[in-house]
Amino acid sequence: MTSFEVTSFELDRAWDLHPQVSVRPEPFGALLYHFGTRKLSFLKDRRLLDVVQSLKDARSARDACAAAGVPAS
């Protein structure tokens, strides 16, 4: 049995990638690699890549989403 903890994602907080995460843009979206855990993740949408890349400079995750054209709904 696998257990996991459900966490909420607060859109009105500032967010950034962990320093050990590398992002490699791809035609389908992006590959994310965490050098500490050696975990590989996929972003399957270029718009999500835009959100992730703009998190560092955005006031909040909501602002990063808006800048990338993600609808508020």
Side-chain angles (χ1 to χ4, degrees):
M1 174 182 272
T2 302
S3 64
F4 60 92
E5 181 180 335
V6 176
T7 59
S8 63
F9 184 81
E10 297 178 36
L11 284 173
D12 295 313
R13 266 188 61 196
W15 289 86
D16 196 5
L17 288 175
H18 190 279
Q20 288 187 308
V21 174
S22 173
V23 178
R24 186 173 91 187
E26 295 287 343
F28 60 82
L31 296 173
L32 282 73
Y33 182 75
H34 191 289
F35 288 95
T37 63
R38 301 182 71 189
K39 182 176 180 180
L40 182 64
S41 300
F42 298 89
L43 299 180
K44 297 179 183 179
D45 188 314
R46 295 288 298 195
R47 196 168 31 183
L48 186 53
L49 172 61
D50 293 341
V51 170
V52 168
Q53 290 178 323
S54 67
L55 283 172
K56 182 179 182 179
D57 298 320
R59 237 183 33 191
S60 67
R62 188 178 308 277
D63 289 347
C65 290
V70 176
S73 60

Short mmCIF file of all heavy atoms in Angstrom, two decimals:
data_model
loop_
_atom_site.label_atom_id
_atom_site.label_comp_id
_atom_site.label_asym_id
_atom_site.label_seq_id
_atom_site.Cartn_x
_atom_site.Cartn_y
_atom_site.Cartn_z
N MET A 1 0.84 -1.17 0.00
CA MET A 1 0.00 0.00 0.00
C MET A 1 0.89 1.24 0.00
O MET A 1 1.85 1.32 0.74
CB MET A 1 -0.92 -0.02 1.22
CG MET A 1 -1.72 1.26 1.35
SD MET A 1 -2.75 1.28 2.82
CE MET A 1 -4.20 0.52 2.15
N THR A 2 0.54 2.20 -0.82
CA THR A 2 1.28 3.45 -0.89
C THR A 2 0.50 4.52 -0.15
O THR A 2 -0.69 4.67 -0.33
CB THR A 2 1.46 3.89 -2.36
OG1 THR A 2 2.13 2.86 -3.05
CG2 THR A 2 2.25 5.15 -2.45
N SER A 3 1.19 5.25 0.69
CA SER A 3 0.53 6.36 1.37
C SER A 3 1.19 7.65 0.92
O SER A 3 2.36 7.68 0.54
CB SER A 3 0.63 6.21 2.88
OG SER A 3 1.98 6.28 3.27
N PHE A 4 0.43 8.71 0.94
CA PHE A 4 0.97 10.00 0.58
C PHE A 4 0.25 11.07 1.37
O PHE A 4 -0.85 10.88 1.86
CB PHE A 4 0.85 10.25 -0.92
CG PHE A 4 -0.57 10.23 -1.44
CD1 PHE A 4 -1.31 11.38 -1.51
CD2 PHE A 4 -1.14 9.03 -1.83
CE1 PHE A 4 -2.61 11.36 -1.96
CE2 PHE A 4 -2.44 8.99 -2.30
CZ PHE A 4 -3.18 10.16 -2.36
N GLU A 5 0.89 12.20 1.48
CA GLU A 5 0.31 13.31 2.20
C GLU A 5 -0.25 14.30 1.20
O GLU A 5 0.41 14.68 0.24
CB GLU A 5 1.40 14.00 3.04
CG GLU A 5 0.89 15.15 3.85
CD GLU A 5 2.01 15.79 4.65
OE1 GLU A 5 2.99 15.11 4.95
OE2 GLU A 5 1.87 16.98 4.96
N VAL A 6 -1.48 14.70 1.41
CA VAL A 6 -2.10 15.68 0.54
C VAL A 6 -1.72 17.06 1.05
O VAL A 6 -1.88 17.37 2.23
CB VAL A 6 -3.64 15.53 0.52
CG1 VAL A 6 -4.27 16.62 -0.31
CG2 VAL A 6 -4.02 14.16 0.01
N THR A 7 -1.16 17.86 0.18
CA THR A 7 -0.81 19.22 0.54
C THR A 7 -1.56 20.18 -0.36
O THR A 7 -1.89 19.84 -1.50
CB THR A 7 0.71 19.46 0.40
OG1 THR A 7 1.08 19.21 -0.95
CG2 THR A 7 1.50 18.59 1.33
N SER A 8 -1.82 21.33 0.14
CA SER A 8 -2.51 22.33 -0.68
C SER A 8 -1.46 23.21 -1.36
O SER A 8 -0.36 23.40 -0.86
CB SER A 8 -3.46 23.16 0.17
OG SER A 8 -2.73 23.89 1.13
N PHE A 9 -1.85 23.73 -2.48
CA PHE A 9 -0.99 24.63 -3.23
C PHE A 9 -1.60 26.01 -3.13
O PHE A 9 -2.68 26.25 -3.64
CB PHE A 9 -0.89 24.18 -4.69
CG PHE A 9 0.06 25.02 -5.49
CD1 PHE A 9 1.41 24.79 -5.43
CD2 PHE A 9 -0.41 26.05 -6.30
CE1 PHE A 9 2.29 25.56 -6.17
CE2 PHE A 9 0.46 26.82 -7.03
CZ PHE A 9 1.82 26.58 -6.97
N GLU A 10 -0.96 26.89 -2.41
CA GLU A 10 -1.49 28.23 -2.18
C GLU A 10 -1.08 29.14 -3.33
O GLU A 10 0.08 29.53 -3.45
CB GLU A 10 -0.99 28.76 -0.85
CG GLU A 10 -1.47 27.94 0.33
CD GLU A 10 -0.91 28.46 1.63
OE1 GLU A 10 -0.77 29.68 1.79
OE2 GLU A 10 -0.61 27.63 2.49
N LEU A 11 -2.05 29.48 -4.16
CA LEU A 11 -1.78 30.32 -5.33
C LEU A 11 -1.35 31.73 -4.98
O LEU A 11 -0.68 32.39 -5.78
CB LEU A 11 -3.02 30.38 -6.22
CG LEU A 11 -3.30 29.16 -7.06
CD1 LEU A 11 -4.65 29.30 -7.76
CD2 LEU A 11 -2.21 28.96 -8.09
N ASP A 12 -1.69 32.20 -3.81
CA ASP A 12 -1.36 33.58 -3.46
C ASP A 12 -0.03 33.71 -2.73
O ASP A 12 0.32 34.79 -2.26
CB ASP A 12 -2.51 34.19 -2.64
CG ASP A 12 -3.77 34.30 -3.48
OD1 ASP A 12 -3.67 34.78 -4.63
OD2 ASP A 12 -4.83 33.88 -3.01
N ARG A 13 0.71 32.63 -2.66
CA ARG A 13 2.07 32.64 -2.09
C ARG A 13 3.10 32.75 -3.19
O ARG A 13 2.86 32.36 -4.33
CB ARG A 13 2.35 31.31 -1.39
CG ARG A 13 2.06 31.28 0.06
CD ARG A 13 2.54 30.01 0.69
NE ARG A 13 4.00 29.85 0.55
CZ ARG A 13 4.63 28.70 0.73
NH1 ARG A 13 3.98 27.61 1.02
NH2 ARG A 13 5.93 28.64 0.61
N ALA A 14 4.26 33.25 -2.85
CA ALA A 14 5.39 33.24 -3.79
C ALA A 14 6.00 31.84 -3.78
O ALA A 14 6.08 31.18 -2.73
CB ALA A 14 6.43 34.26 -3.36
N TRP A 15 6.39 31.34 -4.94
CA TRP A 15 6.98 30.01 -5.08
C TRP A 15 8.23 30.10 -5.93
O TRP A 15 8.42 31.04 -6.69
CB TRP A 15 5.99 29.05 -5.76
CG TRP A 15 4.83 28.68 -4.90
CD1 TRP A 15 3.67 29.38 -4.76
CD2 TRP A 15 4.73 27.55 -4.04
NE1 TRP A 15 2.85 28.74 -3.87
CE2 TRP A 15 3.47 27.62 -3.43
CE3 TRP A 15 5.58 26.49 -3.76
CZ2 TRP A 15 3.03 26.65 -2.52
CZ3 TRP A 15 5.14 25.53 -2.86
CH2 TRP A 15 3.88 25.62 -2.26
N ASP A 16 9.08 29.10 -5.82
CA ASP A 16 10.27 28.99 -6.66
C ASP A 16 10.66 27.52 -6.71
O ASP A 16 10.28 26.73 -5.84
CB ASP A 16 11.41 29.84 -6.11
CG ASP A 16 12.51 30.08 -7.12
OD1 ASP A 16 12.37 29.66 -8.29
OD2 ASP A 16 13.53 30.68 -6.74
N LEU A 17 11.44 27.17 -7.71
CA LEU A 17 11.95 25.80 -7.81
C LEU A 17 13.05 25.56 -6.79
O LEU A 17 13.79 26.48 -6.44
CB LEU A 17 12.53 25.55 -9.20
CG LEU A 17 11.53 25.42 -10.33
CD1 LEU A 17 12.27 25.30 -11.66
CD2 LEU A 17 10.62 24.23 -10.13
N HIS A 18 13.16 24.34 -6.34
CA HIS A 18 14.25 23.96 -5.45
C HIS A 18 15.57 24.12 -6.22
O HIS A 18 15.63 23.85 -7.42
CB HIS A 18 14.06 22.50 -5.02
CG HIS A 18 14.97 22.09 -3.93
ND1 HIS A 18 16.27 21.71 -4.16
CD2 HIS A 18 14.77 22.01 -2.59
CE1 HIS A 18 16.84 21.41 -3.01
NE2 HIS A 18 15.94 21.59 -2.04
N PRO A 19 16.62 24.58 -5.57
CA PRO A 19 17.91 24.79 -6.26
C PRO A 19 18.48 23.52 -6.91
O PRO A 19 19.31 23.62 -7.82
CB PRO A 19 18.85 25.31 -5.18
CG PRO A 19 18.05 25.52 -3.97
CD PRO A 19 16.68 24.97 -4.17
N GLN A 20 18.05 22.34 -6.47
CA GLN A 20 18.56 21.11 -7.05
C GLN A 20 17.72 20.61 -8.21
O GLN A 20 17.95 19.52 -8.71
CB GLN A 20 18.65 20.02 -5.98
CG GLN A 20 19.77 20.23 -4.98
CD GLN A 20 19.90 19.04 -4.06
OE1 GLN A 20 18.93 18.58 -3.46
NE2 GLN A 20 21.12 18.54 -3.94
N VAL A 21 16.75 21.41 -8.66
CA VAL A 21 15.90 21.01 -9.78
C VAL A 21 16.37 21.71 -11.06
O VAL A 21 16.56 22.91 -11.09
CB VAL A 21 14.42 21.35 -9.51
CG1 VAL A 21 13.56 21.07 -10.74
CG2 VAL A 21 13.91 20.55 -8.32
N SER A 22 16.54 20.90 -12.07
CA SER A 22 16.92 21.40 -13.39
C SER A 22 15.73 21.24 -14.33
O SER A 22 15.03 20.22 -14.30
CB SER A 22 18.10 20.58 -13.91
OG SER A 22 18.40 20.93 -15.24
N VAL A 23 15.49 22.27 -15.16
CA VAL A 23 14.37 22.25 -16.10
C VAL A 23 14.93 22.24 -17.52
O VAL A 23 15.76 23.08 -17.87
CB VAL A 23 13.47 23.50 -15.92
CG1 VAL A 23 12.35 23.50 -16.94
CG2 VAL A 23 12.94 23.57 -14.51
N ARG A 24 14.49 21.27 -18.30
CA ARG A 24 14.91 21.19 -19.71
C ARG A 24 13.67 21.30 -20.60
O ARG A 24 12.86 20.37 -20.66
CB ARG A 24 15.65 19.89 -19.99
CG ARG A 24 16.22 19.86 -21.42
CD ARG A 24 17.07 18.66 -21.63
NE ARG A 24 16.23 17.59 -22.16
CZ ARG A 24 16.65 16.35 -22.34
NH1 ARG A 24 17.87 16.00 -21.99
NH2 ARG A 24 15.85 15.44 -22.84
N PRO A 25 13.50 22.45 -21.26
CA PRO A 25 12.36 22.60 -22.16
C PRO A 25 12.39 21.57 -23.29
O PRO A 25 13.46 21.21 -23.78
CB PRO A 25 12.53 24.01 -22.73
CG PRO A 25 13.37 24.72 -21.72
CD PRO A 25 14.30 23.66 -21.18
N GLU A 26 11.23 21.09 -23.64
CA GLU A 26 11.05 20.11 -24.71
C GLU A 26 9.84 20.54 -25.54
O GLU A 26 9.03 21.33 -25.07
CB GLU A 26 10.80 18.71 -24.13
CG GLU A 26 11.96 18.12 -23.35
CD GLU A 26 13.10 17.68 -24.24
OE1 GLU A 26 12.90 17.53 -25.46
OE2 GLU A 26 14.21 17.47 -23.71
N PRO A 27 9.69 20.02 -26.77
CA PRO A 27 8.53 20.38 -27.59
C PRO A 27 7.18 20.09 -26.91
O PRO A 27 6.22 20.81 -27.11
CB PRO A 27 8.70 19.54 -28.85
CG PRO A 27 10.16 19.25 -28.92
CD PRO A 27 10.63 19.16 -27.49
N PHE A 28 7.12 19.06 -26.07
CA PHE A 28 5.87 18.68 -25.42
C PHE A 28 5.63 19.45 -24.13
O PHE A 28 4.55 19.41 -23.56
CB PHE A 28 5.85 17.18 -25.10
CG PHE A 28 6.96 16.75 -24.18
CD1 PHE A 28 6.85 16.90 -22.81
CD2 PHE A 28 8.12 16.20 -24.71
CE1 PHE A 28 7.89 16.50 -21.96
CE2 PHE A 28 9.15 15.80 -23.87
CZ PHE A 28 9.04 15.96 -22.50
N GLY A 29 6.64 20.12 -23.60
CA GLY A 29 6.56 20.81 -22.31
C GLY A 29 7.95 20.92 -21.72
O GLY A 29 8.73 21.76 -22.13
N ALA A 30 8.27 20.02 -20.78
CA ALA A 30 9.61 20.06 -20.18
C ALA A 30 9.88 18.80 -19.36
O ALA A 30 8.96 18.10 -18.94
CB ALA A 30 9.76 21.27 -19.29
N LEU A 31 11.15 18.56 -19.14
CA LEU A 31 11.62 17.54 -18.21
C LEU A 31 12.19 18.27 -17.00
O LEU A 31 12.92 19.25 -17.15
CB LEU A 31 12.73 16.70 -18.83
CG LEU A 31 12.38 15.85 -20.04
CD1 LEU A 31 13.63 15.23 -20.62
CD2 LEU A 31 11.39 14.77 -19.64
N LEU A 32 11.85 17.80 -15.82
CA LEU A 32 12.41 18.35 -14.59
C LEU A 32 13.17 17.23 -13.90
O LEU A 32 12.64 16.11 -13.76
CB LEU A 32 11.31 18.86 -13.66
CG LEU A 32 10.70 20.20 -13.99
CD1 LEU A 32 9.81 20.12 -15.20
CD2 LEU A 32 9.94 20.74 -12.81
N TYR A 33 14.38 17.52 -13.48
CA TYR A 33 15.20 16.51 -12.81
C TYR A 33 15.66 17.07 -11.48
O TYR A 33 16.22 18.17 -11.42
CB TYR A 33 16.40 16.12 -13.67
CG TYR A 33 17.25 15.05 -13.04
CD1 TYR A 33 16.82 13.73 -13.03
CD2 TYR A 33 18.46 15.35 -12.45
CE1 TYR A 33 17.58 12.73 -12.44
CE2 TYR A 33 19.23 14.36 -11.85
CZ TYR A 33 18.79 13.06 -11.85
OH TYR A 33 19.54 12.07 -11.26
N HIS A 34 15.45 16.31 -10.40
CA HIS A 34 15.92 16.69 -9.07
C HIS A 34 17.19 15.91 -8.79
O HIS A 34 17.18 14.68 -8.72
CB HIS A 34 14.85 16.37 -8.02
CG HIS A 34 15.15 16.97 -6.69
ND1 HIS A 34 16.17 16.52 -5.88
CD2 HIS A 34 14.57 18.01 -6.04
CE1 HIS A 34 16.19 17.23 -4.78
NE2 HIS A 34 15.24 18.14 -4.85
N PHE A 35 18.31 16.63 -8.66
CA PHE A 35 19.60 15.98 -8.48
C PHE A 35 19.74 15.32 -7.11
O PHE A 35 20.54 14.40 -6.95
CB PHE A 35 20.74 16.98 -8.70
CG PHE A 35 20.90 17.36 -10.14
CD1 PHE A 35 20.30 18.49 -10.64
CD2 PHE A 35 21.64 16.56 -11.00
CE1 PHE A 35 20.43 18.84 -11.98
CE2 PHE A 35 21.78 16.89 -12.34
CZ PHE A 35 21.17 18.03 -12.83
N GLY A 36 18.99 15.75 -6.13
CA GLY A 36 19.05 15.15 -4.80
C GLY A 36 18.31 13.83 -4.72
O GLY A 36 18.83 12.85 -4.19
N THR A 37 17.11 13.79 -5.28
CA THR A 37 16.30 12.57 -5.20
C THR A 37 16.42 11.71 -6.46
O THR A 37 15.94 10.60 -6.48
CB THR A 37 14.81 12.92 -5.02
OG1 THR A 37 14.36 13.64 -6.18
CG2 THR A 37 14.58 13.73 -3.76
N ARG A 38 17.00 12.29 -7.50
CA ARG A 38 17.16 11.64 -8.81
C ARG A 38 15.80 11.36 -9.46
O ARG A 38 15.66 10.49 -10.30
CB ARG A 38 17.99 10.36 -8.70
CG ARG A 38 19.37 10.65 -8.13
CD ARG A 38 20.21 9.42 -8.05
NE ARG A 38 20.57 9.03 -9.42
CZ ARG A 38 21.17 7.91 -9.73
NH1 ARG A 38 21.47 7.05 -8.79
NH2 ARG A 38 21.46 7.63 -10.97
N LYS A 39 14.79 12.15 -9.08
CA LYS A 39 13.45 11.97 -9.63
C LYS A 39 13.29 12.81 -10.91
O LYS A 39 13.67 13.97 -10.96
CB LYS A 39 12.40 12.41 -8.61
CG LYS A 39 10.99 12.21 -9.09
CD LYS A 39 9.98 12.54 -8.03
CE LYS A 39 8.58 12.31 -8.58
NZ LYS A 39 7.56 12.61 -7.61
N LEU A 40 12.71 12.18 -11.92
CA LEU A 40 12.43 12.83 -13.18
C LEU A 40 10.93 13.08 -13.27
O LEU A 40 10.13 12.19 -13.03
CB LEU A 40 12.88 11.94 -14.35
CG LEU A 40 12.70 12.47 -15.76
CD1 LEU A 40 13.57 13.70 -15.98
CD2 LEU A 40 13.05 11.39 -16.77
N SER A 41 10.55 14.31 -13.59
CA SER A 41 9.14 14.68 -13.74
C SER A 41 8.93 15.30 -15.11
O SER A 41 9.87 15.81 -15.72
CB SER A 41 8.72 15.68 -12.66
OG SER A 41 8.90 15.15 -11.38
N PHE A 42 7.71 15.26 -15.58
CA PHE A 42 7.37 15.79 -16.90
C PHE A 42 6.32 16.89 -16.77
O PHE A 42 5.37 16.75 -16.00
CB PHE A 42 6.78 14.68 -17.79
CG PHE A 42 7.73 13.56 -18.05
CD1 PHE A 42 7.79 12.48 -17.19
CD2 PHE A 42 8.56 13.58 -19.15
CE1 PHE A 42 8.67 11.43 -17.42
CE2 PHE A 42 9.44 12.54 -19.39
CZ PHE A 42 9.50 11.47 -18.53
N LEU A 43 6.51 17.95 -17.50
CA LEU A 43 5.46 18.96 -17.68
C LEU A 43 4.93 18.72 -19.08
O LEU A 43 5.68 18.80 -20.05
CB LEU A 43 6.03 20.37 -17.57
CG LEU A 43 6.68 20.75 -16.24
CD1 LEU A 43 7.18 22.18 -16.29
CD2 LEU A 43 5.72 20.56 -15.09
N LYS A 44 3.65 18.44 -19.20
CA LYS A 44 3.09 18.05 -20.49
C LYS A 44 2.41 19.21 -21.21
O LYS A 44 1.59 18.99 -22.09
CB LYS A 44 2.11 16.90 -20.30
CG LYS A 44 2.78 15.66 -19.76
CD LYS A 44 1.78 14.55 -19.56
CE LYS A 44 2.46 13.34 -18.95
NZ LYS A 44 1.51 12.26 -18.74
N ASP A 45 2.72 20.43 -20.83
CA ASP A 45 2.11 21.60 -21.44
C ASP A 45 3.11 22.75 -21.41
O ASP A 45 3.68 23.04 -20.36
CB ASP A 45 0.84 21.95 -20.64
CG ASP A 45 0.01 23.03 -21.29
OD1 ASP A 45 0.58 24.06 -21.72
OD2 ASP A 45 -1.22 22.88 -21.33
N ARG A 46 3.33 23.38 -22.54
CA ARG A 46 4.29 24.49 -22.62
C ARG A 46 3.86 25.65 -21.73
O ARG A 46 4.69 26.39 -21.20
CB ARG A 46 4.46 24.97 -24.06
CG ARG A 46 5.08 23.97 -25.01
CD ARG A 46 6.52 23.77 -24.78
NE ARG A 46 7.28 24.99 -24.98
CZ ARG A 46 8.59 25.03 -25.11
NH1 ARG A 46 9.28 23.92 -25.08
NH2 ARG A 46 9.22 26.16 -25.26
N ARG A 47 2.56 25.83 -21.56
CA ARG A 47 2.07 26.92 -20.71
C ARG A 47 2.48 26.67 -19.26
O ARG A 47 2.84 27.61 -18.54
CB ARG A 47 0.57 27.04 -20.85
CG ARG A 47 0.03 28.33 -20.34
CD ARG A 47 -1.39 28.60 -20.72
NE ARG A 47 -2.17 27.39 -20.87
CZ ARG A 47 -3.42 27.37 -21.25
NH1 ARG A 47 -4.05 28.49 -21.52
NH2 ARG A 47 -4.09 26.24 -21.36
N LEU A 48 2.44 25.42 -18.83
CA LEU A 48 2.89 25.09 -17.48
C LEU A 48 4.39 25.37 -17.33
O LEU A 48 4.84 25.85 -16.29
CB LEU A 48 2.57 23.64 -17.15
CG LEU A 48 2.85 23.18 -15.73
CD1 LEU A 48 2.21 24.08 -14.70
CD2 LEU A 48 2.40 21.75 -15.54
N LEU A 49 5.15 25.11 -18.38
CA LEU A 49 6.57 25.46 -18.37
C LEU A 49 6.75 26.96 -18.18
O LEU A 49 7.59 27.40 -17.39
CB LEU A 49 7.24 25.00 -19.67
CG LEU A 49 8.68 25.46 -19.87
CD1 LEU A 49 9.60 24.93 -18.78
CD2 LEU A 49 9.17 25.03 -21.24
N ASP A 50 5.94 27.76 -18.87
CA ASP A 50 6.01 29.22 -18.71
C ASP A 50 5.72 29.62 -17.27
O ASP A 50 6.39 30.50 -16.71
CB ASP A 50 5.01 29.91 -19.64
CG ASP A 50 5.37 29.76 -21.11
OD1 ASP A 50 6.54 29.45 -21.42
OD2 ASP A 50 4.46 29.95 -21.95
N VAL A 51 4.75 28.96 -16.64
CA VAL A 51 4.43 29.25 -15.24
C VAL A 51 5.63 28.93 -14.35
O VAL A 51 6.07 29.75 -13.55
CB VAL A 51 3.20 28.45 -14.76
CG1 VAL A 51 3.02 28.57 -13.25
CG2 VAL A 51 1.95 28.90 -15.49
N VAL A 52 6.19 27.73 -14.51
CA VAL A 52 7.32 27.30 -13.68
C VAL A 52 8.52 28.23 -13.85
O VAL A 52 9.16 28.62 -12.87
CB VAL A 52 7.70 25.83 -14.01
CG1 VAL A 52 9.03 25.45 -13.39
CG2 VAL A 52 6.61 24.89 -13.55
N GLN A 53 8.79 28.63 -15.08
CA GLN A 53 9.94 29.50 -15.33
C GLN A 53 9.74 30.91 -14.79
O GLN A 53 10.71 31.61 -14.50
CB GLN A 53 10.26 29.55 -16.82
CG GLN A 53 10.83 28.25 -17.33
CD GLN A 53 11.11 28.27 -18.82
OE1 GLN A 53 10.37 28.87 -19.60
NE2 GLN A 53 12.18 27.61 -19.20
N SER A 54 8.50 31.35 -14.63
CA SER A 54 8.26 32.71 -14.15
C SER A 54 8.00 32.79 -12.64
O SER A 54 7.85 33.88 -12.10
CB SER A 54 7.10 33.35 -14.92
OG SER A 54 5.89 32.70 -14.64
N LEU A 55 7.95 31.65 -11.95
CA LEU A 55 7.67 31.66 -10.51
C LEU A 55 8.65 32.51 -9.72
O LEU A 55 8.27 33.23 -8.81
CB LEU A 55 7.67 30.23 -9.96
CG LEU A 55 6.45 29.39 -10.25
CD1 LEU A 55 6.70 27.95 -9.79
CD2 LEU A 55 5.20 29.96 -9.60
N LYS A 56 9.91 32.44 -10.08
CA LYS A 56 10.95 33.14 -9.32
C LYS A 56 10.72 34.65 -9.27
O LYS A 56 10.96 35.30 -8.26
CB LYS A 56 12.33 32.84 -9.91
CG LYS A 56 13.46 33.48 -9.17
CD LYS A 56 14.78 33.12 -9.78
CE LYS A 56 15.92 33.75 -9.00
NZ LYS A 56 17.21 33.39 -9.54
N ASP A 57 10.24 35.21 -10.37
CA ASP A 57 10.08 36.65 -10.46
C ASP A 57 8.66 37.13 -10.18
O ASP A 57 8.43 38.35 -10.09
CB ASP A 57 10.50 37.13 -11.86
CG ASP A 57 11.96 36.82 -12.15
OD1 ASP A 57 12.79 36.98 -11.24
OD2 ASP A 57 12.27 36.40 -13.28
N ALA A 58 7.72 36.22 -10.03
CA ALA A 58 6.32 36.59 -9.80
C ALA A 58 6.07 36.83 -8.31
O ALA A 58 6.69 36.21 -7.46
CB ALA A 58 5.39 35.50 -10.32
N ARG A 59 5.14 37.73 -8.02
CA ARG A 59 4.73 38.00 -6.64
C ARG A 59 4.05 36.81 -6.00
O ARG A 59 4.13 36.60 -4.80
CB ARG A 59 3.76 39.17 -6.65
CG ARG A 59 4.13 40.32 -5.82
CD ARG A 59 3.08 41.39 -5.84
NE ARG A 59 1.75 40.79 -5.95
CZ ARG A 59 0.65 41.43 -6.20
NH1 ARG A 59 0.69 42.72 -6.36
NH2 ARG A 59 -0.51 40.82 -6.29
N SER A 60 3.34 36.03 -6.84
CA SER A 60 2.64 34.85 -6.34
C SER A 60 2.49 33.85 -7.49
O SER A 60 2.69 34.19 -8.66
CB SER A 60 1.24 35.23 -5.82
OG SER A 60 0.43 35.66 -6.89
N ALA A 61 2.11 32.64 -7.14
CA ALA A 61 1.86 31.63 -8.18
C ALA A 61 0.68 32.06 -9.05
O ALA A 61 0.67 31.82 -10.26
CB ALA A 61 1.58 30.28 -7.53
N ARG A 62 -0.30 32.72 -8.46
CA ARG A 62 -1.45 33.22 -9.23
C ARG A 62 -0.98 34.22 -10.29
O ARG A 62 -1.42 34.19 -11.43
CB ARG A 62 -2.47 33.87 -8.29
CG ARG A 62 -3.77 34.24 -8.98
CD ARG A 62 -4.77 34.83 -8.00
NE ARG A 62 -5.01 34.03 -6.81
CZ ARG A 62 -5.86 33.01 -6.74
NH1 ARG A 62 -6.54 32.64 -7.82
NH2 ARG A 62 -6.03 32.35 -5.62
N ASP A 63 -0.05 35.11 -9.93
CA ASP A 63 0.48 36.07 -10.88
C ASP A 63 1.27 35.38 -11.99
O ASP A 63 1.20 35.77 -13.15
CB ASP A 63 1.38 37.11 -10.19
CG ASP A 63 0.59 38.08 -9.32
OD1 ASP A 63 -0.66 38.13 -9.44
OD2 ASP A 63 1.23 38.79 -8.52
N ALA A 64 2.02 34.34 -11.63
CA ALA A 64 2.78 33.58 -12.64
C ALA A 64 1.83 32.90 -13.61
O ALA A 64 2.08 32.88 -14.81
CB ALA A 64 3.69 32.55 -11.96
N CYS A 65 0.74 32.37 -13.09
CA CYS A 65 -0.27 31.72 -13.96
C CYS A 65 -0.90 32.74 -14.90
O CYS A 65 -1.06 32.49 -16.09
CB CYS A 65 -1.34 31.05 -13.12
SG CYS A 65 -0.77 29.58 -12.24
N ALA A 66 -1.27 33.89 -14.37
CA ALA A 66 -1.90 34.94 -15.18
C ALA A 66 -0.95 35.41 -16.28
O ALA A 66 -1.36 35.59 -17.43
CB ALA A 66 -2.33 36.10 -14.30
N ALA A 67 0.32 35.58 -15.94
CA ALA A 67 1.31 36.03 -16.93
C ALA A 67 1.50 35.01 -18.03
O ALA A 67 1.81 35.36 -19.18
CB ALA A 67 2.64 36.31 -16.23
N ALA A 68 1.29 33.72 -17.72
CA ALA A 68 1.45 32.66 -18.72
C ALA A 68 0.15 32.41 -19.50
O ALA A 68 0.11 31.55 -20.37
CB ALA A 68 1.89 31.36 -18.04
N GLY A 69 -0.90 33.17 -19.18
CA GLY A 69 -2.15 33.01 -19.91
C GLY A 69 -3.05 31.89 -19.41
O GLY A 69 -3.95 31.46 -20.11
N VAL A 70 -2.82 31.45 -18.18
CA VAL A 70 -3.67 30.40 -17.60
C VAL A 70 -4.94 31.08 -17.07
O VAL A 70 -4.86 32.01 -16.28
CB VAL A 70 -2.95 29.67 -16.44
CG1 VAL A 70 -3.86 28.67 -15.77
CG2 VAL A 70 -1.68 29.02 -16.94
N PRO A 71 -6.12 30.62 -17.53
CA PRO A 71 -7.36 31.25 -17.07
C PRO A 71 -7.56 31.08 -15.56
O PRO A 71 -7.19 30.08 -14.98
CB PRO A 71 -8.46 30.52 -17.84
CG PRO A 71 -7.81 29.52 -18.70
CD PRO A 71 -6.34 29.54 -18.46
N ALA A 72 -8.15 32.07 -14.93
CA ALA A 72 -8.38 32.04 -13.47
C ALA A 72 -9.25 30.85 -13.06
O ALA A 72 -9.09 30.35 -11.95
CB ALA A 72 -9.01 33.34 -13.02
N SER A 73 -10.12 30.42 -13.93
CA SER A 73 -11.00 29.29 -13.58
C SER A 73 -10.22 28.01 -13.48
O SER A 73 -10.60 27.08 -12.86
CB SER A 73 -12.10 29.15 -14.61
OG SER A 73 -11.53 28.92 -15.89
#
